[in-house]
Amino acid sequence: MNFNYQLKLSRRRKTVAIKVKPDGVVVYAPEGICENWLQGWLSSKQSWVAQKQHLVADSLPCKQTPIEKVAIYGAHYAVCYGHSSGYIDHQYHCIYIESSMQQHRDNHIGEIYDLFKVELETYLHARLPYYQALMGSEYKTLKVRFYKRRWGSLSSKGVLAFNSALLSAPKWVIDYVIVHELAHYHVMAHNQAFWRIVGRYYPEFEKAKAYLKQEMKLIL
């Protein structure tokens, strides 16, 4: 058998039928059907199912080219589809997601950003205590999510937020954003006093700012 399928049995059904859908193949059969007969019948339908799967895939709306690569910590990672669980493999520079290549691009983006969020949170929890103690800064809540127009922020209520897309940047650039946002604990405005604080704890901040402006795009 060259295709996977979902079997639905019914007491009322008298015949066997196959339905090919965008999310898979469904086989309808009466309860008590001979399993050996069913397997033989399905084997005879393999070519027909394959043709239907191609037709369904070609007719999907908004079909787009799957994402092939993403940047993580400044390096290129290949995107591998159709795995049982999503995770990032730093040894082989691969990001594994559950969506198949035939699914809509929005599914791919959503899963990738979910993995980005978890990975960036892990990095932030490792680095924030160091810079927080070094700078004498405080915050109440850490939030990581996708933002369209900012890399990070610190609110007057103590909410420290970071863009999950920041995971695309090298770690030294992420560290700059950490210092930048923690500096807002002392000075909220982007004035000379603020930049003196940033420069004190991250002397190469101009280089990091230039990287964000010139190299970083909100990927996907």
Side-chain angles (χ1 to χ4, degrees):
M1 190 69 58
N2 291 330
F3 62 90
N4 295 320
Y5 63 90
Q6 179 185 6
L7 179 61
K8 291 190 176 182
L9 301 175
S10 171
R11 294 179 181 177
R12 296 182 180 181
R13 175 169 284 277
K14 303 298 183 182
T15 59
V16 180
I18 303 176
K19 188 168 185 179
V20 179
K21 301 180 178 181
D23 58 347
V25 179
V26 181
V27 176
Y28 301 90
E31 285 190 358
I33 191 169
C34 175
E35 185 175 342
N36 289 335
W37 180 90
L38 180 61
Q39 292 300 315
W41 184 79
L42 291 174
S43 294
S44 70
K45 299 295 183 180
Q46 287 185 138
S47 296
W48 180 86
V49 170
Q51 291 176 359
K52 287 292 184 181
Q53 286 176 322
H54 285 301
L55 289 173
V56 169
D58 290 339
S59 65
L60 288 175
C62 302
K63 186 181 179 184
Q64 301 183 47
T65 303
I67 303 160
E68 295 182 355
K69 290 183 179 181
V70 296
I72 298 177
Y73 296 132
H76 291 298
Y77 279 58
V79 181
C80 303
Y81 295 92
H83 288 261
S84 58
S85 60
Y87 67 98
I88 297 173
D89 187 334
H90 294 295
Q91 182 178 359
Y92 295 102
H93 281 202
C94 293
I95 177 169
Y96 298 95
I97 63 175
E98 297 180 42
S99 292
S100 68
M101 293 183 70
Q102 293 182 348
Q103 288 179 305
H104 194 274
R105 185 181 173 94
D106 287 348
N107 293 1
H108 308 157
I109 294 172
E111 285 190 48
I112 289 172
Y113 272 124
D114 285 344
L115 292 174
F116 269 39
K117 178 179 182 295
V118 173
E119 179 70 22
L120 185 59
E121 284 178 342
T122 300
Y123 184 79
L124 291 172
H125 282 304
R127 297 297 284 160
L128 276 170
Y130 168 76
Y131 283 112
Q132 187 180 4
L134 182 69
M135 300 173 64
S137 301
E138 296 181 6
Y139 67 92
K140 293 180 180 179
T141 306
L142 175 64
K143 181 186 295 185
V144 178
R145 53 165 294 184
F146 172 67
Y147 297 99
K148 290 185 177 180
R149 294 181 177 86
R150 60 180 178 178
W151 294 114
S153 64
L154 178 63
S155 74
S156 58
K157 295 183 179 180
V159 178
L160 183 60
F162 292 92
N163 192 332
S164 55
L166 190 60
L167 188 71
S168 293
K171 292 180 179 180
W172 60 270
V173 176
I174 300 175
D175 285 355
Y176 155 70
V177 179
I178 291 173
V179 171
H180 182 115
E181 302 311 332
L182 289 179
H184 279 307
Y185 173 79
H186 303 285
V187 180
M188 291 301 292
H190 290 103
N191 54 24
Q192 290 184 355
F194 170 81
W195 290 112
R196 280 197 295 270
I197 295 172
V198 173
R200 185 185 309 156
Y201 299 106
Y202 200 95
E204 295 187 338
F205 70 91
E206 291 288 0
K207 180 181 177 182
K209 284 175 62 180
Y211 186 96
L212 288 172
K213 184 177 181 179
Q214 298 170 11
E215 304 293 337
M216 285 287 290
K217 296 179 180 179
L218 296 187
I219 64 165
L220 314 183

